[in-house]
Structure formats: structure tokens, C-alpha cells
Amino acid sequence: MIYMAMKKLVQYGLNTGLIKEADRNYVVNQILDVLKLDEYKEPDEEFSEIDLEAVLKELLDYAWDMGLIEENTVTYRDLFDTRLMNCLMPRPSEVEQMFWGLYNHQSPLAATEYFYKLSQDSDYIRRYRIKKDMRWITPTKYGDLDITVNLSKPEKDPKAIAAAKLAKQSGYPKCLLCMENEGYAGRTDHPARNNHRIIRLNINDSQWGFQYSPYVYYNEHCIIFNGQHIPMKIERETFVKLFDFVKQFPHYFLGSNADLPIVGGSILSHDHFQGGNYDFAMAKAQMETEYCIKGFEGATAGIVKWPMAVLRTRSKDPEELIALGTKVLDAWRKYTDEEAFIFAETQGQPHNTITPIARMKDGMYELDLVLRNNITTEEFPLGVYHPHQDLHHIKKENIGLIEVMGLAVLPSRLKEELNLLEEYMVEGKDIRSNPEIEKHADWVEAFLPGYESVTRDNVEDILNKEVGRVFERVLEDAGVYKCNEEGRRGFERFLTSVGFVPASQ
């Protein structure tokens, strides 16, 4: 049985191109070492299509039975099966050689297609988990919003959490985005990265890493990170780095989370960006009003029809957008508008920052500047421009770059909660009687009168639509200037202070 599973894993490597025929004996011996076996007998059976998840399960079950895995949990099994997959992996230098060979002799697109496939075939991106994510689209007045419930990121099991607390604390790698993760075996408090590969890039005359997110929230979701463990900061050099990447990979966008708590990302300690080959709703949204500004005659700018405050700048010259973006950023950092409840700082704490996104579109470079503010009040202790309390039953977490652009990343708890809501709504049960879903009761009671009937055939569509509407409101809450008449007046006051005038003047 174990030899059969080993043969299937080797055949998987051959089928995907991870290994070649000349590697067969070497790979078999590497797998034997991981499984603590001394010999191998080749089965006679031949295999063509290989189900990787099923093969790894066979090997993991064997490892558990033989005492090779400390606990039979997702955390420990992931640590072990990543070692198995590493037996099929090329060295980092070989990956880079192939990547840059394709880049130079074919195209940047060919290079990224190779690297993305490798990152999936290696099981670094676990396709069989990603496909479990819930995904749908909700049409809104701002465009089609992408809604996802993330089920692919495994939750820590209690035993692993306990073990991590007892384990000696390590500062290596310093975080999940450090170069040193490449090939790292992992531990209970740090995922295994044996099968992880990084492409080294030159960005702003320094070394950066290019990898894909293991959880791919959208197509070719990549992470570009500083080779040094230094904090995130939005500044002129940020725009330089964004366009350095887009010039090298014009089929990808690249954006940055903001650099302040509440409106920033989950890892502010390591300078990084996120990008990919995907058109978000915000990128498709049109400009409502166009502006021009003295000294930037080659650029156009405009307020984007979007629930958050977005200024889109366009030019054939990225240097012009870098300079204009810096001018807007510097002005926004110190801008206060009490009428709109915008304060640059309170009690010495800065509040204003920007979420920038760079891309090339229709032969023009674009830089979207999303104005952010992280001020809190007694009424809104998690942030005035953050999802308000009445939406926390769906989304409470920070609104980072991905959500800003129109893709909701919702917590995994919603899968079970939405399933329960379907049952209770169809059968007319009291939602408040169930502690797991009572937090949704006010929401359901508010939208239910808008539907003539709720049946088993339409209840899922109803809930999907209403969850999408909640995310629409989440984005509206996060907007420092709302997409309405009053908000536009406030936005225009800021633009006027920078020196922008309507293009029609």
C-alpha cells in the first residue's frame, strides 16, 4: 500500500513537470528518508491521473500509524506533507533560471504563468482547499463586488496552539514575509515552507522577493516583499517601487496596504505589496469628474465612482504619477477638514494615509490613491472609517487593500452560520433562539419584508445578495468622503487645496 502511494506521488511529479525521468530514483530515495523506510519495491500498476490530495492522505495516514507525526491534526499533517512535496521540488536557483529564461526569451506573462503553475503543482497553493472557498458576485451601483468566504486557510487546532505556547520562542524567520521562509521546515506556530520558492527582483535598486499567496484570494494573487525586514511606510519611494514592478510586469497590478493601524494590513512590520492578474470592480469603475493641475500637464486625474474616496491619476509617464502621487500624499498627511470630520492628527497621533494601487491600462499608467483615516471615537472605538457595529455580524476585520478594491474576504464562520440561517428562514424558526446566529436576527428582520417568499430554491440567492449588500455598506463606512453630494463637496475641497481644478475650466 505505501509503495503504491509513493509511486503515485512520483508519477504526480512527472505529470506536472516538477521532476524528470532521470530524477525518479533520487526522488524515491528522498521520500523513503522522510518516511523512515530503508527499501522500496516498485508496484506493477501504472497510473495516469493522480489525485494529489488523496495520495497525500494515504502517506499521512501511514506516517501517523508509524508514529512519524506527533498529533493527527491539520497543523502537524501540513508540516509533514510539505516535507514530502519538497522531495519533488527544484532548487530555488533552478526555478529562477527557468523564470528569467522565459521572461527574457518569451515574455513576462510566460514567466509568471510558469511560476504560478509551479506554486500550485508544488502544493504550496493547496488547490483542493482553495476550491472549497465560497465565492459569488453581487451587482451594486458601484459595479460587481466579489464576495468570498475564506475556507482554505486552516484554523489552528487547540493542541497546536498549546504546543506553540510551550515551545521555545524563535525569531527565525522574523515573520511570514522574510526571505528566510524559503525552504523552512516550519513549526507549530509557523507554517512549513519546504516547497516554497521565491523569485528575486530588483525594485528601487534593492532586492525584493516575488511569491504567490498560498490562499490566492483572486487570480495570480502575488506578494512582493522587501528583502529586508523593515516596516511598511507610504511615501514617495512607495510609488517608485510600485511602478518599478508594473514596468517589469505590465499585465499585473500592484498595490499597498496603508501604513497605519485599523486602515492597514495584517502585517505592518514588513514592507510589502500585493498584486496579481485580476480586474477588480474598483479598477473598472469610471471617473465621475476630471481634474487637472499645474505642473502635471501630461497627467489626468478624476474622482472615481466608488464608495471609498479614490483619486485616479493617469499618464504615459510613471515619473509624473510618482511626483503627483507624492504631492497628494504630502497634502493629505497634514490635511484637516473639521466639517467632514477629517483630522490629520489628535493628541500627536497621525490619522491620514493612503492606500495606493498602480497598474497599466490601455497603454497608460494609472495610480489610484485611496484616502484613508483611522480616527476613533467613543461611538466608533474601532474606527469612524471602519465597518460600523451593525455590520460586525458579517465583517468586523480591517478593510485592507483587497477589500478596498472590491473583494470581500469574509470569515470562515459564515459558512455554517449562513447554512443555519437558510434552515431557520425557510422553516420560519426563531433566529434569536439560536446563540450561533442570533447576532444576525436584526439584519434578517430588516431585509426579509423585501421578498415575497423565502423557499429552499431561493434562500441561498437571497442571503448571498444581502451579504453582498452588507459589504457594499462596509465600503461606504470605510470611505472618508461618501459617494454623495456632501461627500463630493468635501473631496473637492481637499483637491482644491492641493491645486487641482476641474478639467472643464
Side-chain angles (χ1 to χ4, degrees):
M1 175 69 84
I2 189 61
Y3 296 146
M4 197 90 74
M6 288 178 60
K7 183 172 183 178
K8 288 178 182 177
L9 186 59
V10 173
Q11 188 62 48
Y12 172 84
L14 291 166
N15 290 354
T16 55
L18 287 173
I19 63 173
K20 298 178 181 178
E21 185 59 42
D23 301 318
R24 183 187 289 269
N25 288 337
Y26 174 85
V27 170
V28 166
N29 289 329
Q30 294 302 302
I31 297 171
L32 285 174
D33 182 56
V34 174
L35 295 174
K36 304 299 182 186
L37 293 170
D38 295 323
E39 62 179 6
Y40 173 70
K41 295 179 181 178
E42 178 88 7
D44 294 330
E45 290 87 346
E46 296 296 330
F47 309 98
S48 53
E49 296 298 319
I50 307 295
D51 181 341
L52 180 61
E53 182 180 18
V55 173
L56 289 176
K57 183 181 184 304
E58 285 184 63
L59 293 166
L60 288 166
D61 289 346
Y62 170 84
W64 167 244
D65 291 340
M66 294 296 105
L68 303 179
I69 298 177
E70 188 174 334
E71 297 285 350
N72 196 25
T73 63
V74 172
T75 299
Y76 287 95
R77 289 171 74 95
D78 281 2
L79 289 170
F80 195 87
D81 72 9
T82 308
R83 290 175 60 198
L84 289 168
M85 291 305 300
N86 189 46
C87 298
L88 308 177
M89 291 299 294
R91 294 290 178 99
S93 58
E94 296 171 330
V95 174
E96 288 209 327
Q97 184 178 24
M98 176 64 78
F99 181 92
W100 290 113
L102 290 167
Y103 184 97
N104 292 319
H105 296 109
Q106 292 191 31
S107 67
L109 176 63
T112 56
E113 284 180 342
Y114 154 75
F115 189 41
Y116 190 53
K117 181 179 183 298
L118 175 81
S119 299
Q120 295 176 89
D121 291 342
S122 67
D123 209 37
Y124 167 70
I125 296 172
R126 297 175 183 259
R127 282 178 284 211
Y128 46 85
R129 288 185 183 167
I130 301 297
K131 69 181 182 181
K132 295 176 183 177
D133 288 350
M134 298 168 60
R135 300 175 183 272
W136 67 91
I137 291 174
T138 299
T140 72
K141 58 180 173 288
Y142 305 110
D144 291 342
L145 300 181
D146 292 297
I147 312 298
T148 69
V149 177
N150 177 37
L151 304 173
S152 56
K153 189 174 183 178
E155 296 183 10
K156 286 282 187 180
D157 54 82
K159 288 184 178 180
I161 293 171
K165 285 182 179 178
L166 296 173
K168 181 182 177 181
Q169 294 301 300
S170 172
Y172 180 91
K174 289 182 180 177
C175 79
L176 292 170
L177 294 179
C178 285
M179 288 280 192
E180 292 80 6
N181 281 281
E182 189 174 37
Y184 187 61
R187 51 185 191 267
T188 54
D189 64 345
H190 193 105
R193 291 290 184 255
N194 311 65
N195 56 349
H196 177 40
R197 297 295 180 264
I198 295 168
I199 302 297
R200 284 141 190 86
L201 303 177
N202 186 290
I203 301 286
N204 195 28
D205 298 323
S206 60
Q207 188 183 80
W208 283 61
F210 171 10
Q211 68 180 53
Y212 288 103
S213 166
Y215 310 116
V216 286
Y217 294 134
Y218 51 86
N219 187 49
E220 297 177 49
H221 177 185
C222 68
I223 301 172
I224 311 301
F225 58 97
N226 200 313
Q228 302 297 315
H229 183 77
I230 57 176
M232 291 185 65
K233 186 177 181 183
I234 302 297
E235 56 186 351
R236 179 188 180 278
E237 298 306 302
T238 304
F239 307 138
V240 173
K241 295 166 188 173
L242 293 178
F243 281 115
D244 266 7
F245 178 83
V246 171
K247 283 185 284 186
Q248 293 180 66
F249 301 93
H251 59 298
Y252 273 18
F253 79 87
L254 193 67
S256 175
N257 271 304
D259 56 354
L260 293 177
I262 297 176
V263 295
S266 57
I267 304 179
L268 296 177
S269 61
H270 195 128
D271 193 15
H272 72 284
F273 308 123
Q274 296 182 79
N277 190 4
Y278 190 71
D279 281 330
F280 286 86
M282 193 183 85
K284 298 175 186 176
Q286 300 299 307
M287 291 191 294
E288 290 183 337
T289 310
E290 290 198 20
Y291 294 85
C292 55
I293 184 170
K294 188 176 180 181
F296 299 90
E297 281 70 27
T300 59
I303 296 175
V304 178
K305 185 182 179 182
W306 193 245
M308 299 183 69
V310 185
L311 178 69
R312 176 165 298 154
T313 60
R314 305 186 80 228
S315 175
K316 289 187 176 180
D317 181 8
E319 296 299 324
E320 188 171 33
L321 297 185
I322 290 166
L324 181 54
T326 304
K327 183 178 180 68
V328 173
L329 173 65
D330 291 344
W332 179 247
R333 288 281 194 197
K334 58 190 178 185
Y335 185 75
T336 291
D337 181 352
E338 294 188 15
E339 181 182 345
F341 204 77
I342 303 293
F343 295 90
E345 60 90 19
T346 56
Q347 298 179 329
Q349 292 295 315
H351 296 305
N352 289 350
T353 185
I354 278 177
T355 298
I357 302 103
R359 68 180 76 85
M360 174 170 269
K361 189 173 183 179
D362 300 329
M364 300 278 284
Y365 288 101
E366 292 185 352
L367 180 63
D368 284 356
L369 303 168
V370 187
L371 307 183
R372 311 298 301 274
N373 180 288
N374 76 344
I375 195 168
T376 61
T377 63
E378 287 188 11
E379 184 182 3
F380 301 112
L382 295 182
V384 173
Y385 306 108
H386 178 87
H388 291 173
Q389 288 91 321
D390 64 321
L391 307 180
H392 288 181
H393 64 103
I394 297 292
K395 178 71 175 177
K396 184 179 182 180
E397 298 77 15
N398 291 354
I399 303 306
L401 171 69
I402 295 172
E403 284 96 351
V404 164
M405 295 186 292
L407 189 152
V409 181
L410 302 178
S412 59
R413 62 174 171 81
L414 284 177
K415 179 182 180 181
E416 183 59 31
E417 290 174 12
L418 291 174
N419 284 338
L420 280 171
L421 280 174
E422 287 185 18
E423 175 191 331
Y424 274 60
M425 289 167 61
V426 169
E427 298 181 9
K429 294 181 181 179
D430 179 11
I431 294 172
R432 297 182 191 279
S433 68
N434 188 325
E436 284 191 56
I437 56 174
E438 62 178 336
K439 58 179 169 288
H440 299 297
D442 288 346
W443 171 57
V444 174
E445 289 171 4
F447 73 66
L448 215 48
Y451 297 91
E452 289 185 7
S453 64
V454 177
T455 67
R456 295 196 184 279
D457 292 333
N458 70 3
V459 65
E460 182 180 355
D461 289 341
I462 289 173
L463 281 171
N464 285 355
K465 179 179 179 180
E466 294 301 331
V467 169
R469 285 178 169 175
V470 168
F471 181 58
E472 180 182 19
R473 279 199 52 209
V474 161
L475 293 180
E476 290 173 341
D477 284 352
V480 296
Y481 294 118
K482 310 308 178 188
C483 191
N484 56 31
E485 191 174 325
E486 181 183 357
R488 288 296 177 256
R489 285 198 301 269
F491 205 157
E492 288 165 3
R493 285 197 299 273
F494 168 66
L495 294 178
T496 300
S497 75
V498 180
F500 286 96
V501 296
S504 57
Q505 289 186 8

